[in-house]
Amino acid sequence: MTRFLPGIIAMAAIVAASNVLVQFTVGDWLTWGAFTYPIAFLVTDVMNRVYGAQAARRVVLAGFVAGVACSLVAAGLQATTLRIAVASGTAFLVAQMADVVVFDALRDGRWWRAPLASTLVGSALDTALFFGIAFSAVLPADANTGWANEAVPLLGQGPVGALWVSLALADWLVKLSLALLALVPFRMIVRNLLRGRAEC
């Protein structure tokens, strides 16, 4: 279990940082949390490649616990609502566990295929679940979510739709970009960790 500790600490730190940074906007469509949260997929994939799917699941569960703790603190400070907290926890757990399954199924292919495919699937699930649960008009709005259904042009340019759809699309595009960029640190970290294990 101690060998998984760096992954657990990294995941908990990413989740905690993202929960804080989501409160600070970047332009009209993003928050700083959109740039830190996708690193969670990198951590999951590194753990999966080096230690296996079971280790990756443990790291995901640690991240989920950290996320629940952050949501409880935020709720106490009246910085979130139950609906947003449920959306965040559900999206994280489902998306990260899906990432583990897809990565494990593709682990024997080319080195980049498993991390790229699993992150793309996980990112799509994460975005759809979080924004759909947190802001969609399908569920009753509350004081902290009703604004998200304001009608605006898609990303300020396209057809008119709910504001949360533009927020979700922008978030997903960041995740796609970071999924590609994360292949470089993935390759480097995995090589170093596997080399270190071989030398032990």
Side-chain angles (χ1 to χ4, degrees):
M1 184 67 172
T2 55
R3 62 185 174 159
F4 308 149
L5 196 56
I8 289 170
I9 292 170
M11 182 66 83
I14 291 161
V15 170
S18 298
N19 272 274
V20 171
L21 293 172
V22 75
Q23 300 171 57
F24 304 100
T25 59
V26 180
D28 294 328
W29 314 111
L30 295 167
T31 69
W32 283 109
F35 296 95
T36 55
Y37 174 73
I39 300 169
F41 291 102
L42 173 62
V43 172
T44 301
D45 292 346
V46 167
M47 293 302 293
N48 202 337
R49 173 63 75 200
V50 177
Y51 299 108
Q54 190 58 36
R57 286 187 193 96
R58 288 182 184 174
V59 169
V60 167
L61 289 176
F64 178 72
V65 169
V68 169
C70 288
S71 292
L72 291 174
V73 170
L77 298 173
Q78 298 183 344
T80 191
T81 64
L82 178 61
R83 180 174 173 180
I84 292 173
V86 168
S88 179
T90 302
F92 177 85
L93 196 58
V94 171
Q96 292 291 329
M97 289 301 188
D99 180 285
V100 173
V101 169
V102 173
F103 188 105
D104 203 46
L106 299 175
R107 80 167 43 254
D108 295 329
R110 292 182 173 268
W111 71 267
W112 52 267
R113 189 174 300 158
L116 183 60
S118 63
T119 299
L120 293 179
V121 169
S123 294
L125 279 171
D126 183 81
T127 302
L129 286 171
F130 175 74
F131 286 94
I133 295 169
F135 301 118
S136 168
V138 173
L139 298 172
D142 60 28
N144 221 13
T145 61
W147 56 267
N149 284 289
E150 174 189 347
V152 298
L154 185 66
L155 295 178
Q157 307 290 325
V160 173
L163 172 60
W164 71 267
V165 175
S166 287
L167 299 175
L169 180 58
D171 182 79
W172 184 62
L173 291 173
V174 168
K175 286 175 182 155
L176 292 181
S177 301
L178 291 177
L180 292 170
L181 292 174
L183 290 174
V184 174
F186 172 83
R187 184 72 162 164
M188 293 169 58
I189 294 167
V190 166
R191 277 184 174 171
N192 286 337
L193 288 174
L194 290 177
R195 187 178 301 125
R197 289 183 70 190
E199 291 171 356
C200 291

